[in-house]
């Protein structure tokens, strides 16, 4: 890659920001995971342990390479994979443990790393929701053999859609580079252009009071084929669609370079809002998010468990309150045909309970302290906390 291209520039700035030796940009994070799985030679019948509290787009690349996802339940306090559940799934076919830092809360890397070492599996970190978070003072993304990151609309910072694969392992890096050069294609100029227009619209529309309406308009436009949605309908089944293995466009990379410059203030804002939410919830007699010793999360959204999730989510837009809902299903979104992905209801009880209870409070840079007060006032006056 030419050092002066926007892609090279973004990769090099991103490497610096995340302390990764090598960084490779893709159209989406799921594509980055696919490249990593190919690079570490994951094949038919290999097993990949993944939390049963994730996005189905994370599981697709595992299925695309013919591997078998095994679903670990979560720790209900941190929403991350429970190491005991991970350990119980280890078999002689386990090749990868996927450590997802849910909502930006660092996964228990010490335990997961120990399990991976014991069974000789690769440790791959899903940092899609977690840029800036640290565990025992160390940046997430630097514990495992490789990591991947998302820059999709609702992530910590966005390039519209976008993803990055990072590693500190020169051999893996060389393989990602070779596979990408041989098999990946650039996005069509039409897709790159539509995405560039969407970035402009997105910048103008996403404010806490307008985001619910904006999201709905965007959903309708993408169902009419007039906007590029985060996922194509062909991605809701476990077979790789044509054109999946796509690199990042120059426009995405330029947006990435620009937005990376605001990363520090973005992260500081999210940390501050998390403190504000914790205090506001405490003042209302609700339990705030508990943060374990040595975990320093930057939250993509602040998770709160409520008793009437569906009702609260339905009422929020009418009150111009921004609330998110991740994850709605063990393999988000709600519509995922779980059986096609080898998930049976009851496999991960703690994750399933969280799916029915967790709503996300906004932490993005346009959320003011006043917005945070409105959100908490709405929530605590509309429902009770679930325990
Ligand atoms: C935890 C997690 N991992 C991976 C992904 C996939 O990211 P992308 O949409 O960039 O492919 C998502 C998407 O929301 C996610 O929530």
């Amino acid at each position: 890659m030419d050092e002066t291209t926007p892609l090279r520039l973004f990769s090099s700035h991103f490497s610096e920001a995340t302390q990764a030796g090598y960084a490779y940009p893709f159209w989406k994070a799921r594509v980055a995971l696919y490249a990593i799985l190919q690079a570490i030679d994951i094949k038919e019948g290999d097993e990949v342990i993944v939390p049963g509290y994730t996005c189905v787009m994370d599981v697709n690349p595992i299925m695309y390479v013919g591997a078998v996802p095994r679903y670990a339940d979560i720790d209900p306090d941190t929403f991350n994979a429970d190491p005991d559940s991970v350990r119980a799934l280890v078999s002689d076919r386990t090749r990868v443990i996927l450590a997802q830092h849910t909502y930006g809360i660092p996964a228990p890397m010490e335990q997961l790393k120990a399990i991976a070492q014991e069974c000789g599996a690769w440790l791959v970190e899903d940092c899609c929701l977690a840029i800036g978070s640290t565990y025992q003072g160390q940046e997430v993304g630097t514990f495992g053999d490789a990591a991947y990151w998302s820059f999709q609309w609702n992530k910590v910072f966005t390039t519209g859609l976008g993803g990055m694969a990072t590693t500190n392992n020169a051999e893996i890096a060389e393989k990602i580079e070779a596979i990408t050069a041989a098999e990946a294609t650039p996005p069509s100029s039409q897709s790159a252009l539509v995405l560039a227009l969407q970035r402009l619209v997105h910048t103008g529309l996403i404010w806490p009071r307008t985001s619910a309406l904006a999201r709905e308009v965007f959903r309708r436009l993408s169902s009419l084929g007039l906007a590029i949605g985060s996922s194509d309908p062909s991605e809701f089944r476990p077979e790789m669609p044509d054109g999946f293995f796509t690199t990042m466009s120059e426009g995405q990379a330029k947006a990435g370079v620009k937005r990376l410059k605001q990363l520090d203030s973005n992260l500081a804002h999210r940390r501050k809002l998390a403190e504000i939410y914790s205090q506001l919830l405490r003042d209302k007699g609700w339990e705030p998010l508990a943060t374990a010793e040595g975990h320093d999360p930057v939250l993509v959204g602040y998770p709160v468990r409520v008793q009437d999730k569906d009702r609260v989510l339905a009422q929020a837009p009418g009150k111009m309150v921004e609330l998110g809902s991740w994850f709605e299903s063990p393999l988000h979104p709600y519509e995922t045909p779980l059986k096609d992905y080898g998930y049976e209801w009851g496999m991960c009880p703690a994750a399933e309970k969280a799916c029915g209870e967790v709503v996300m409070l906004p932490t993005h840079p346009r959320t003011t302290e006043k917005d945070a007060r409105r959100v908490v006032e709405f929530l605590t006056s509309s429902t009770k906390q679930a325990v």
Side-chain angles (χ1 to χ4, degrees), residues 28-31 54-55 57-58 100 126 128-129 148-152 154-155 162-163 230 326-327:
K28 299 176 186 175
R30 63 201 77 169
V31 186
T54 190
C55 172
M57 300 305 153
D58 228 19
Q100 171 182 294
D126 177 346
C128 291
L129 313 177
Y148 58 104
W149 313 73
S150 175
F151 316 123
Q152 182 254 2
N154 53 16
K155 301 305 189 295
S230 301
W326 313 354
F327 297 100

Side-chain angles (χ1 to χ4, degrees), residues 125-364:
E125 293 180 68
D126 177 346
C127 298
C128 291
L129 313 177
I131 188 164
S133 299
T134 64
Y135 175 79
Q136 316 285 19
Q138 189 180 328
E139 302 279 336
V140 298
T142 58
F143 291 89
D145 299 290
Y148 58 104
W149 313 73
S150 175
F151 316 123
Q152 182 254 2
W153 304 108
N154 53 16
K155 301 305 189 295
V156 172
F157 86 93
T158 184
T159 59
L161 305 173
M164 192 77 80
T166 59
T167 181
N168 279 314
N169 178 320
E171 223 170 287
I172 295 177
E174 206 175 292
K175 289 202 174 136
I176 294 177
E177 204 162 326
I179 289 158
T180 306
E183 296 175 25
T185 49
S188 70
S189 32
Q190 192 194 344
S191 302
L193 182 65
V194 173
L195 191 62
L197 292 173
Q198 284 176 216
R199 273 195 302 273
L200 283 178
V201 175
H202 181 265
T203 309
L205 275 187
I206 298 299
W207 297 91
R209 287 169 185 260
T210 55
S211 68
L213 178 66
R215 245 187 310 221
E216 190 48 37
V217 170
F218 180 63
R219 227 171 257 153
R220 298 228 173 143
L221 286 176
S222 29
S223 69
L224 293 170
L226 299 172
I228 301 180
S230 301
S231 302
D232 187 82
S234 63
E235 292 182 87
F236 288 92
R237 39 174 201 270
E239 291 99 36
M240 189 159 100
D242 287 344
F244 173 79
F245 196 11
T246 302
T247 51
M248 186 176 266
S249 67
E250 290 209 347
Q252 286 168 294
K254 281 183 189 162
V257 170
K258 196 165 145 205
R259 291 181 186 188
L260 214 43
K261 289 189 181 134
Q262 295 139 18
L263 184 64
D264 287 347
S265 62
N266 179 339
L267 301 182
H269 178 85
R270 288 174 190 271
R271 286 182 200 279
K272 179 155 174 268
L273 264 187
E275 277 173 27
I276 290 172
Y277 279 128
S278 291
Q279 190 54 52
L280 289 172
L281 289 167
R282 239 182 253 118
D283 292 347
K284 296 282 183 186
W286 285 39
E287 275 298 315
L289 179 70
T291 307
E293 183 82 24
H295 288 62
D296 187 10
V298 174
L299 297 174
V300 68
Y302 188 108
V304 180
R305 289 178 184 263
V306 296
Q307 288 189 5
D308 301 297
K309 174 168 168 169
D310 290 346
R311 183 174 58 75
V312 171
L313 284 174
Q315 286 174 350
K319 303 276 182 194
M320 295 174 108
V321 164
E322 180 178 354
L323 279 186
S325 173
W326 313 354
F327 297 100
E328 293 168 348
S329 144
L331 310 181
H332 185 91
Y334 187 68
E335 298 80 9
T336 300
L338 295 175
K339 279 217 163 107
D340 295 355
Y341 289 88
Y343 188 93
E344 300 281 344
W345 203 253
M347 268 181 176
C348 300
E352 290 166 17
K353 183 170 186 297
C355 292
E357 294 179 345
V358 174
V359 294
M360 315 287 301
L361 319 188
T363 55
H364 60 77

